[in-house]
Structure formats: structure tokens, C-alpha cells
Amino acid sequence: MNLHEYQAKALFKQYGIPTPAGEVAASAEDAVQAARALGGGQWVIKAQVHAGGRGKAGGVKLAHTPAEAGELAGRMLGMHIQTYQTGGRALPVNTVLVAEASDIAAELYLSVLIDRSRRRISFVGSAAGGVDIEQVAAATPEKIFTIAIDPTAGLQGFQCRRLGFALGLNEAQIKQLTRMMGGLYRLFVERDLALIEVNPLVIAAPGGDLLALDAKINVDDNALYRQADIAALRDESQEDPAELEAGRHGLNYITLDGDIACMVNGAGLAMATMDEIQRQGGRPANFLDVGGGANAARVAEAFKIILGAAQVKAILVNIFGGIVRCDLVAEGIVAAVREVHVKVPVIVRLEGTNVEAGYRLLEASSLAIITAPDLERGARLAVEAARGANTATA
Ligand code: GDP
Ligand code: MN
């Protein structure tokens, strides 16, 4: 689950990580009030959406008077912002952050994440921070520094100093960085986070102090049950509607950008199915994991959700009947295809308990369901169907 910048900064405050003073506002009048209350001579108005790249998309603006803060906020609120991080969707701006503007001497990058290959929580830092960190990492990886933390020893002072030197900081700044990293590490571990990103971490002018100018937090969904106050920060308006709807039915669903919908049971089978589709030259539109208890009602719900994606040209069902029986799954598929009036080709591959009975049910249904004896053939049929090369029925 993602947090908004203003929510992330409130957590930063709890952990002693310095950020510019700011207040959240949901109307132009609130923004004027916030600017007045904060004082100072300049403010940044920042659209609160679950994505970075707002600066380039018109979601970060500088105001010189409280009245201008109100005007900018009024224009931003109600906007939909699409950035390279929003996955093709435009996210609604329901709140803005009004923050004291900072004078910036340099923009650095700092993040905390779980490095799966090392099996360690790691800090990633770079002196080349700001809005183009992805390009820095791709073009000049030598400008990115990583330190991995031993979970039994915890974050060590020498690790912070090493990163501070690599970022070109002076002695006073290295002390600040050490404190900041200590706070970030505690925040990451205590609140079960999956990612903290501070981009930019700025050196403020004229004093040279370090300041977290932006804040992005992703929380481990599996830990939300024990982080009730963080779970309460969820903003469903920022989430993919199809993924939300699937979640309400206890189905795992991920939107992708191809044209073949995938219905599978189990995450491993989902990965294998998508790999095989790609290998055969196709692209998955989504995948939906119906889980272990794939009964007729769940299969029907699942069909409705995967068909909701406008670009779907074929459906590949790939189910392993281990706990569930293939004949029950087949009944579910037949009922769903009838009920939902599926208009695109449906390719079904079943394996496991009662597989013959399952295939017999599908064939006896007289519906346009194409059966496939194995995954390779199933994926090929789906790819061909999506291309319109083969829309014949079995
Ligand atoms: P993002 O584009 O969504 O990552 O939003 P950021 O909060 O990172 O802001 C984008 C850019 O706007 C930063 O890299 C800064 O260059 C600039 N910016 C944001 N806040 C301030 C500020 O208080 N003062 C100045 N001078 N620039 C700012
Ligand atoms: Mn940023």
C-alpha cells in the first residue's frame, strides 16, 4: 500500500527526520489559510497523488503570496495527474500539500528498500538526485551507492559515514545524514515498510542542512493487520478500480498492458502462464488468481473482472486441480461464460484431479470454448486468438 507524501512526512516527523513545514489542504481556502499559518515568503503547492514525477506533470508549483497559493491549489484540486509512474492511469488530486518553499543548494537521492538478492534491508544513495534518478541509474550506475544492513548488527555508524563520503557531504552534514538514516531505518523496520524514497534529499541553502523535500512510502500489505494506524491512511481513490473490486471478492488481480486475460490458480502458475504467453509473442492484459477454492461463483466473479479491461481480445484459463476438482472448475467456467456473455475466445487448459470429466463438460456445453491439452498449446492458441488469426471454436 502506498502513502501520500503528507502522510509519509508525518511519519518522518515521528522519527526525527527533518522535512519542510507543511499542511495538507482540500480546498483553495484551506490552502490560503495554510500558507498564512506557515508564514514565510514562498510556498510550494504539491498535488497529493500516489506517484512521483508530479513536478513534470504540473503537480508541483511555487506560490509567492497566500492568495496565489489558493489559486494554484484551486486549479490543482480536481485535476487528474498522469505521470510515468501511474501505469497509464490518471490519478485524482483530492488534496494538496502546502509547504514552506526551500532554497536548494543540491538535490541528492536516498532510499531504503529490501534488496532481495542480498536478503538485506539496504540504503541506496546518490549525489545525482532530483527528478531523473531512473535515468541516472540506467546511464551512470557508478553514481549510485548501496549499503546493505546486517539484520543482527543493525545499521552501523561507519556505514552512514561511508555513504556520506560517497555523496560528497561535509562533516556536519554526515552527522545529520547519520541521524536521518537511523530514523529511516527504525521507521522502516518498526512500521513494516517495503520502500522509503526521499527524492530529492536536499542540501538547503544557505545553511547547508539536509532536508527531506519529498517522501514516498510503500507499506508491506501483509503487515497491515498489525499497523492499524497506517492501514487507516489508505486512499482507495488512488488505486486501480479493477484491483480494488477483485480484492473485495478475495481474488488477487493485477492489471497489465497487453491483450490476453489470464485466469489461473496460484501465483507460481500465474508467473509460468505469463512467461509462456510472452515466449509465444503475446502480452498478458492482466492476471487473476482465483486461489484454492475456485468454485462456480468465484469463477464467474473472476470472469467479470478480467473482462472489465477494455483491451482484452482473448482469455486463457489455466487451472491446476489439486485441491479443487477440474470438473467443478469446468462447471464454473461454463456457467460464467453463459452468465457473463463472453464475446472473446476462451481457451481453457486444465490439469489434475478429474481432468477428463472437466474437459467432457466443456465440450458438451456447445459454448465457444477452446480446450488445450497443455500450457504451451494453450498459450499459443490464446496468442493466435488475440491476433485474430484463429477465432474458430473447438
Ligand atoms: P515529484 O516530481 O513528484 O518527485 O515531486 P518533488 O517533491 O520531488 O518535486 C519535484 C521537484 O520540484 C524537486 O526535485 C525540486 O527541484 C522542485 N521543488 C520541490 N519543492 C521545492 C522547494 O521547496 N523549493 C524549490 N526551489 N524547488 C522545489
Ligand atoms: Mn520526488
Side-chain angles (χ1 to χ4, degrees):
M1 183 183 97
N2 288 318
L3 299 186
H4 283 297
E5 176 191 4
Y6 78 90
Q7 297 167 331
K9 284 180 168 171
L11 284 169
F12 278 17
K13 205 166 175 187
Q14 287 178 27
Y15 285 82
I17 300 149
T19 61
E23 276 182 35
V24 68
S27 70
E29 301 77 60
D30 284 358
V32 175
Q33 288 305 321
R36 285 214 184 98
L38 287 165
Q42 279 192 11
W43 301 269
V44 269
I45 314 302
K46 307 179 80 176
Q48 296 300 287
V49 290
H50 282 184
R54 295 166 301 170
K56 290 181 172 175
V60 179
K61 301 267 187 198
L62 199 63
H64 304 85
T65 63
E68 191 186 2
E71 280 162 34
L72 290 171
R75 238 173 284 156
M76 238 178 245
L77 289 162
M79 250 171 77
H80 284 71
I81 288 196
Q82 185 163 354
T83 80
Y84 69 98
Q85 290 188 358
T86 56
R89 283 185 305 131
L91 304 179
V93 182
N94 299 319
T95 53
V96 295
L97 175 64
V98 181
E100 225 174 70
S102 311
D103 281 331
I104 300 173
E107 300 199 11
L108 317 178
Y109 175 92
L110 185 65
S111 62
V112 195
L113 46 83
I114 295 164
D115 183 336
R116 287 172 194 281
S117 59
R118 296 192 215 200
R119 288 172 291 167
R120 293 277 190 274
I121 293 175
S122 298
F123 277 84
V124 176
S126 177
V131 287
D132 292 321
I133 192 68
E134 288 85 357
Q135 270 135 286
V136 174
T140 49
E142 70 279 4
K143 290 187 181 167
I144 307 274
F145 301 94
T146 304
I147 59 167
I149 298 157
D150 183 323
T152 55
L155 177 66
Q156 300 291 306
F158 79 88
Q159 296 184 300
C160 304
R161 288 192 291 279
R162 189 175 283 170
L163 187 59
F165 286 124
L167 300 182
L169 301 181
N170 66 32
E171 214 169 300
Q173 290 162 344
I174 288 176
K175 280 202 181 114
Q176 292 178 5
L177 180 74
T178 302
R179 261 200 308 278
M180 187 180 275
M181 288 172 70
L184 288 169
Y185 184 64
R186 273 199 310 123
L187 168 59
F188 192 93
V189 174
E190 288 177 14
R191 309 322 285 285
D192 291 311
L193 306 187
L195 173 77
I196 307 176
E197 191 175 55
V198 182
N199 188 28
L201 166 67
V202 300
I203 299 178
D209 292 331
L210 294 185
L211 202 53
L213 201 77
D214 192 7
K216 186 175 195 176
I217 284 182
N218 179 266
V219 190
D220 180 353
D221 290 336
N222 295 311
L224 286 173
Y225 75 96
R226 63 180 188 188
Q227 299 287 353
D229 53 336
I230 290 188
L233 302 177
R234 180 161 184 186
D235 180 356
E236 293 189 344
S237 78
Q238 304 292 312
E239 297 179 24
D240 182 309
E243 290 179 14
L244 262 179
E245 178 65 15
R248 286 192 194 105
H249 291 95
L251 303 161
N252 290 311
Y253 174 86
I254 304 288
T255 299
L256 300 165
D257 56 10
D259 54 15
I260 300 171
C262 304
M263 195 174 96
V264 296
N265 62 340
L269 198 56
M271 299 299 158
T273 305
M274 290 189 294
D275 282 352
E276 188 57 28
I277 288 173
Q278 301 258 14
R279 200 176 71 86
Q280 307 253 7
R283 292 177 54 76
N286 50 44
F287 80 78
L288 187 144
D289 177 359
V290 285
N295 59 35
R298 276 171 80 80
V299 170
E301 242 3 283
F303 263 94
K304 282 183 207 161
I305 290 163
I306 56 178
L307 283 168
Q311 77 281 18
V312 170
K313 293 194 190 133
I315 299 173
L316 175 58
V317 180
N318 186 21
I319 300 271
F320 176 73
I323 298 168
V324 290
R325 283 167 28 201
C326 290
D327 53 329
L328 293 183
V329 172
E331 273 176 22
I333 294 169
V334 169
V337 171
R338 282 216 174 96
E339 186 194 331
V340 186
H341 304 295
V342 178
K343 290 191 185 69
V344 296
V346 179
I347 294 94
V348 179
R349 181 258 177 159
L350 300 172
E351 191 53 88
T353 313
N354 290 3
V355 61
E356 297 83 5
Y359 277 128
R360 270 201 303 278
L361 274 165
L362 293 177
E363 275 147 27
S365 74
S366 74
L367 289 167
I369 295 170
I370 305 164
T371 58
D374 56 51
L375 173 54
E376 191 176 347
R377 186 154 167 74
R380 189 164 71 243
L381 288 167
V383 172
E384 284 169 2
R387 285 203 194 112
N390 177 8
T391 47
T393 57

